[in-house]
Amino acid sequence: MLEYTKLGYKPKKTDLVAEYYAEPAKKVSYEYLCEQIAAESSIGTWTTISTMNKNVANKLKPKVFFIDKKKKAIKIAYPQELFEEGNMPQILSSIAGNIFGMGILKNLRLLDVTFPKKLVDSFPGPRYGIAGIRKLLRVKKRPLVGTIVKPKVGLDEKQHAHVAYEAWVGGLDIVKDDENLSSMSFNNFKKRMIETYKARKKAEKITGEVKVYMPNVTAETEEMLRRAKLVDDLGGRYVMIDILTAGWAALQTLRKRTRLVIHAHRAMHAAITRNAKHGISMLVIAKISRLIGVDQLHIGTAHVGKMEGSSREIQLIEEEIEKSYITANEKELILEQDWFDIKPVFAVASGGLSPLSIPDVMDRMGSEIIMQFGGGVHGHPEGTRKGAVAVRQALAATMQEKDLEIFCLANPELSKAIEKWGKKK
Amino acid sequence: MLEYTKLGYKPKKTDLVAEYYAEPAKKVSYEYLCEQIAAESSIGTWTTISTMNKNVANKLKPKVFFIDKKKKAIKIAYPQELFEEGNMPQILSSIAGNIFGMGILKNLRLLDVTFPKKLVDSFPGPRYGIAGIRKLLRVKKRPLVGTIVKPKVGLDEKQHAHVAYEAWVGGLDIVKDDENLSSMSFNNFKKRMIETYKARKKAEKITGEVKVYMPNVTAETEEMLRRAKLVDDLGGRYVMIDILTAGWAALQTLRKRTRLVIHAHRAMHAAITRNAKHGISMLVIAKISRLIGVDQLHIGTAHVGKMEGSSREIQLIEEEIEKSYITANEKELILEQDWFDIKPVFAVASGGLSPLSIPDVMDRMGSEIIMQFGGGVHGHPEGTRKGAVAVRQALAATMQEKDLEIFCLANPELSKAIEKWGKKK
C-alpha cells in the first residue's frame, strides 16, 4: 500500500513537484532513502500503522518518479491536496521540514519546486512588479540605482536624513536602511521617518526626479504593520523587510496589509542556501518570495562584490523571478514553472559594489535590475553626494556602451572613484 | 578607527557575546576574516567611508576578544545598543545575517550567544514553563507522554478525533497535530477543533485525567491568530506552531496574543542546524525560542529515534532551556547565560520513538521531558489505544526502574509492542 517509488510516472498538472539533492548515510540504500523522504514529507511514518487506510494512501501518496543516482538528484510529485492554499509555512513544513533531519541521510537539499496552478493562484504575488515600479519612479529603461545609508547603524535621525539627501541629490533613485537598523536607542524609527521624508521632499524638488526611501520595518508582526502604516501615512512608497529573519508568516501578513512596494532583503539566507549539498537553494527562496509577493529581491552580485554566489546561479534566479514561464532545464536541474498571473520581481544586486562594478554587473544581470551601493557611494573620496554622482556617471557610460576609463576623463567624480577603487573592484 | 580585534578584552555585562566557528576562504588570513565578520555584523562595510565618525565607532564598535585558530572559534562582544529590544529579527539580521554569505569565508556557524540582561528582559519568555504545564496537567513527576495523530495528513475531522480519543483513553496526556496538517480540503481546521475537543471532553470524563490537544495553528500571522482564538474559545489549552517555517516575527506575535500554552515544532531546523561547520546551532535556535517564549520545544531524541542529533548535544540544549543559569564551558564552546526571570521550557523528544525507547530516552534526557510517539503508538499491532496503553506501561516500568522485558510479562500491550519492535528500537 505504501510504496512511493514509481519511476516514469508523469506528474499531473495538479501535482507539486519537488527536486532534491539526496545523499544517503552509510549503509542506507538509495531506494530506501527515497521512500523515506517521500513518506516523511507527506503521509508516512517510520513503521506500519493501524490508522492508515487505502483511501488516504491512494489519494495523497506522493510519487518518486525520477532518480539520478550519479547526480544524487530525485524528483517527487505530491498531490496538491497535501498543501493548504495560501499557507507557505505549511507547504514548507511538508517539503522542507523534518526531512532535513533524518538520520538515514547525510545531506539533503531542496533544489527546486514546481507549484501547480491552484497553489500559484492562492498567493497574490507582487503588487507592483517591475512595470509598476518603473512607472512609480518614471524610469523606463536604465537600471535603478540606490544606496544603503552607512555606517550600517550609528547615525542619529538627522544625520541619517542628511546622508539620504546627499545621495538623492547626487543622483540616486533609492535610499535604503541597512538590515540591522530598525528602531534604535540612538535612532528612533518614527523620528527617522519624519526627518528622512522631509529630506526626500527637498531632494525631489531640487532634482525633479522621483526619489524613494526603503525603511526597514522588520519587527514582530504587529509592530511591523504599525511601522508600515506610519510610512504610508507619511507619504512613503516603500517598505523593506528581512524575509528570513522575520519569516514567511509575517511576510505574508505584510503583503496583505500594506499597499506599498515591498523590498525584500535576505539576511541569513546563506545559512540555509550556501552549502551546495544541504539546505534550500536560493532559487527556491526566490520563488517563495515571488509567490508571496515581494516586489524587489536581493539575489546577489554574480561574483562582482563581497558576497558569494556564482554568476550562472544568479542568472537562473533572475530568470525565475522575472519571466512568466520557465522551461525545464534537465542539465541544470531547473524545473518547469508557469507563473500564470504572478508579476515579475525586480532583481536587486547589492553587496560590495562600487561605481566601477556597474559594467560587470550589467553584463551578467542585464538592465532590468536595481543596483545598491553602500561603501561604494559613501566611501567616495569626496563624500556621499559625489559618490552618487559617480554612480550615475558610470551608469550613463555603461548604458552608452562606453568604457569607464575614457568616460571618466570628462567626469571627475567617476575619475576619483577609479583612483580609489581601481579599474576592477 | 575601525579595528575590531582586541584580544583579552573582557566583555561587559551590557555586551551581547556571539561565538562562531569561522573558516576563511583560500588566501584569506584569519585576522582579516575576524575583522570583516565583526564589521559586517555591526557598523562596518567593505571600504573606508566618509560618513563614519569617531562617536559612532567608539560607542558601537564590537570587539573580537577571543580567537582559537585551532578550533576555528572566535568570540565577539557587541555593545547592546546595536540591538533593538524585543526585536528578534533585528538581532538575527545583525549577528546571523549577511555574514553567512561573505565571499572571504568558507564556513561560518553561530555556535552560541550570551544575551545581556537588558535584551533578556525585553522578551517575555514562556508564559507557563515547566511548572505551569505540570500544574495544568496535574502531573507532578513523570514525563508527559503524547502522540501525533497519524497518518500525518489524510484523515477527516471525525477520524482524526477518533484517533485522538483512542490515544487519550489509552493513557496519553497529549495529542498533537502533525506539522503538515493545518486546514486542508479534507480536514477543515474549525471542524477538526470541534470534533477533537468533543472527544477530549469524553476522554477526560472517562479517565479522570487532564488531556490536552495541541492543534497546529501555523499559517499567515493573522490567520494563525484567528485559529488560536478559536482554540481558546473552544476551551483549548494549547496551540502548536512551527517556529522555523512560520518565522520569528510571527512567533513573537503569537506569544503576545495568545494566553494558551505554546508548543514549538521545529520543521526545517536541520536545513540550518545540521552542518557542524555552517549555519546556526540548534542551541541558539533553542535559546531564541525560550526568550521569545515557547513553553515546549522539540530538541531531538538523543539518537534513539529516526532523527539525527548526538546525545551530548541534546543534553546541552536541554540544560540551556531548563536551567536559570548556564555556566561557561570553554571545552564544549558553551557561553555563560543568566536567564534572569525567564521561565524554563519543557523539552520535547519526538521522532521515531516507540514504547521501547522510553528507558533510553529517559536515561539520556531525564524525567523533565515530554515524549511524543507517532508510529510508536498507532503502529501497535492492536491499534492506537493499546499502543497508548503500552506507552504508559513502559513509562511506569521505567519510573519504577524495572526492565521492560520483565515488566511486560504482566502487561500484554507492552508485550505486543516488544514483539513488533524488538527490545531495542
Side-chain angles (χ1 to χ4, degrees), chain B residues 187-213:
Chain B
N187 187 320
N188 172 271
F189 186 83
K190 186 173 178 179
K191 282 190 199 155
R192 180 167 83 249
M193 295 308 111
I194 292 169
E195 293 298 332
T196 309
Y197 287 117
K198 227 191 282 172
R200 191 194 67 179
K201 202 174 166 186
K202 250 173 76 188
E204 287 190 327
K205 212 168 173 181
I206 287 178
T207 61
E209 292 181 335
V210 178
K211 302 294 185 184
V212 298
Y213 173 40

Side-chain angles (χ1 to χ4, degrees), chain A residues 39-53 56 60 81-84 87 89-90 92-94 96-98 100-103 105 150-155 163 179-180 182-186 218-222 225 227 242 245-250 252-253 256-257 265 267-268 270-272 274-275 278-280 306-308 352-354 375-376 378-379 383-384 420-421 425, chain B residues 39-53 56 60 81-84 87 89-90 92-94 96-98 100-103 105 150-155 163 179-180 182-186 218-222 225 227 242 245-250 252-253 256-257 265 267-268 270-272 274-275 278-280 306-308 352-354 375-376 378-379 383-384 420-421 425:
Chain A
E40 182 66 37
S41 55
S42 61
I43 56 172
T45 189
W46 59 273
T47 184
T48 52
I49 52 175
S50 58
T51 47
M52 179 60 79
N53 64 62
V56 172
L60 296 177
E81 289 74 20
L82 284 166
F83 308 103
E84 182 182 352
N87 187 340
Q90 189 272 344
L92 292 173
S93 291
S94 310
N98 291 350
F100 292 112
M102 293 171 84
L105 58 85
K150 299 280 175 185
K152 294 167 84 82
V153 290
L155 302 182
V163 172
E179 74 280 353
N180 51 346
S182 51
S183 193
M184 324 301 291
S185 56
F186 50 83
T218 310
E220 174 274 320
T221 322
E222 293 180 341
L225 295 183
R227 291 179 189 179
D242 236 316
T245 57
W248 304 116
Q252 286 197 252
T253 312
K256 198 172 67 172
R257 286 284 168 229
H265 190 267
M268 195 192 272
I272 307 166
R274 187 162 182 172
N275 181 339
H278 192 72
I280 302 172
K306 67 184 172 183
M307 297 297 178
E308 58 92 40
L353 299 185
S354 84
H378 313 295
T384 297
K420 178 164 181 181
W421 290 304
K425 155 57 218 146
Chain B
E40 183 64 39
S41 56
S42 61
I43 56 171
T45 188
W46 58 274
T47 184
T48 52
I49 53 174
S50 58
T51 46
M52 180 60 79
N53 63 62
V56 172
L60 296 177
E81 289 74 21
L82 284 166
F83 308 103
E84 183 182 352
N87 187 340
Q90 188 272 344
L92 292 173
S93 291
S94 311
N98 291 350
F100 291 113
M102 293 170 83
L105 59 84
K150 300 279 176 184
K152 293 167 84 80
V153 290
L155 302 182
V163 172
E179 73 282 352
N180 52 345
S182 50
S183 192
M184 323 300 293
S185 57
F186 50 83
T218 309
E220 176 275 320
T221 322
E222 293 179 342
L225 295 183
R227 291 179 189 179
D242 236 317
T245 58
W248 303 116
Q252 286 197 251
T253 312
K256 197 172 68 172
R257 286 286 167 228
H265 191 267
M268 195 191 274
I272 306 166
R274 188 164 180 171
N275 180 339
H278 193 71
I280 302 172
K306 66 184 171 181
M307 299 297 177
E308 59 90 41
L353 299 185
S354 84
H378 314 293
T384 297
K420 178 163 180 180
W421 289 305
K425 157 56 220 148

Side-chain angles (χ1 to χ4, degrees), chain B residues 219-257:
Chain B
E220 176 275 320
T221 322
E222 293 179 342
E223 181 59 31
M224 179 175 71
L225 295 183
R226 266 193 295 278
R227 291 179 189 179
K229 188 176 176 304
L230 175 72
V231 169
D232 197 350
D233 290 347
L234 290 172
R237 295 164 184 137
Y238 270 74
V239 288
M240 163 193 159
I241 174 173
D242 236 317
I243 55 176
L244 280 317
T245 58
W248 303 116
L251 178 62
Q252 286 197 251
T253 312
L254 183 66
R255 172 61 182 87
K256 197 172 68 172
R257 286 286 167 228

Side-chain angles (χ1 to χ4, degrees), chain B residues 65-96:
Chain B
F65 67 93
F66 174 91
I67 299 178
D68 181 339
K69 285 191 195 174
K70 212 168 153 193
K71 284 188 179 169
K72 297 192 178 65
I74 65 171
K75 294 181 196 171
I76 306 178
Y78 297 86
Q80 66 186 4
E81 289 74 21
L82 284 166
F83 308 103
E84 183 182 352
E85 291 173 41
N87 187 340
M88 190 53 78
Q90 188 272 344
I91 297 173
L92 292 173
S93 291
S94 311
I95 61 167

Side-chain angles (χ1 to χ4, degrees), chain A residues 77-243:
Chain A
Y78 297 86
Q80 66 186 4
E81 289 74 20
L82 284 166
F83 308 103
E84 182 182 352
E85 292 174 40
N87 187 340
M88 190 53 76
Q90 189 272 344
I91 296 173
L92 292 173
S93 291
S94 310
I95 61 167
N98 291 350
I99 47 177
F100 292 112
M102 293 171 84
I104 54 165
L105 58 85
K106 194 178 163 197
N107 281 299
L108 183 72
R109 182 171 173 86
L110 178 58
L111 298 171
D112 200 356
V113 183
T114 301
F115 295 96
K117 183 169 193 306
K118 201 172 181 181
L119 289 178
V120 171
D121 287 349
S122 75
F123 292 94
R127 188 184 295 273
Y128 294 83
I130 295 177
I133 290 165
R134 285 201 174 279
K135 201 174 153 195
L136 189 72
L137 272 91
R138 295 189 231 128
V139 174
K140 283 187 183 155
K141 281 193 173 165
R142 66 166 171 84
L144 303 178
V145 282
T147 190
I148 309 109
V149 173
K150 299 280 175 185
K152 294 167 84 82
V153 290
L155 302 182
D156 67 24
E157 301 88 351
K158 286 195 185 221
Q159 289 167 335
H160 182 278
H162 178 68
V163 172
Y165 178 77
E166 290 288 304
W168 281 318
V169 170
L172 300 183
D173 306 301
I174 295 167
V175 170
K176 170 185 164 299
D177 285 351
D178 224 322
E179 74 280 353
N180 51 346
L181 178 66
S182 51
S183 193
M184 324 301 291
S185 56
F186 50 83
N187 187 321
N188 172 272
F189 186 83
K190 186 173 177 181
K191 282 190 199 156
R192 180 167 82 249
M193 295 309 110
I194 292 169
E195 293 297 332
T196 310
Y197 286 117
K198 226 191 282 173
R200 191 193 68 180
K201 203 173 164 187
K202 248 172 79 187
E204 287 190 328
K205 213 167 172 183
I206 286 178
T207 60
E209 293 182 333
V210 178
K211 302 295 185 183
V212 297
Y213 172 41
M214 312 196 309
N216 179 12
V217 298
T218 310
E220 174 274 320
T221 322
E222 293 180 341
E223 181 59 31
M224 180 175 70
L225 295 183
R226 265 193 296 278
R227 291 179 189 179
K229 188 175 176 301
L230 175 70
V231 168
D232 198 349
D233 290 347
L234 290 172
R237 298 166 182 134
Y238 271 73
V239 287
M240 163 195 159
I241 175 174
D242 236 316
I243 55 177

Side-chain angles (χ1 to χ4, degrees), chain A residues 291-342:
Chain A
L291 267 185
I292 294 178
V294 311
D295 295 286
Q296 304 182 168
L297 176 67
H298 287 243
I299 65 167
T301 53
H303 264 178
V304 182
K306 67 184 172 183
M307 297 297 178
E308 58 92 40
S310 83
S311 186
R312 181 62 187 150
E313 186 198 349
I314 283 160
Q315 282 163 3
L316 291 169
I317 295 169
E318 193 181 351
E319 282 177 18
E320 188 70 69
I321 62 172
E322 285 182 357
K323 289 191 171 178
S324 59
Y325 181 80
I326 301 293
T327 314
N329 171 348
E330 282 282 346
K331 212 180 131 197
E332 297 187 280
L333 303 171
I334 299 289
L335 298 175
E336 180 187 28
Q337 180 68 57
D338 191 334
W339 283 96
F340 300 100
D341 297 328
I342 301 280

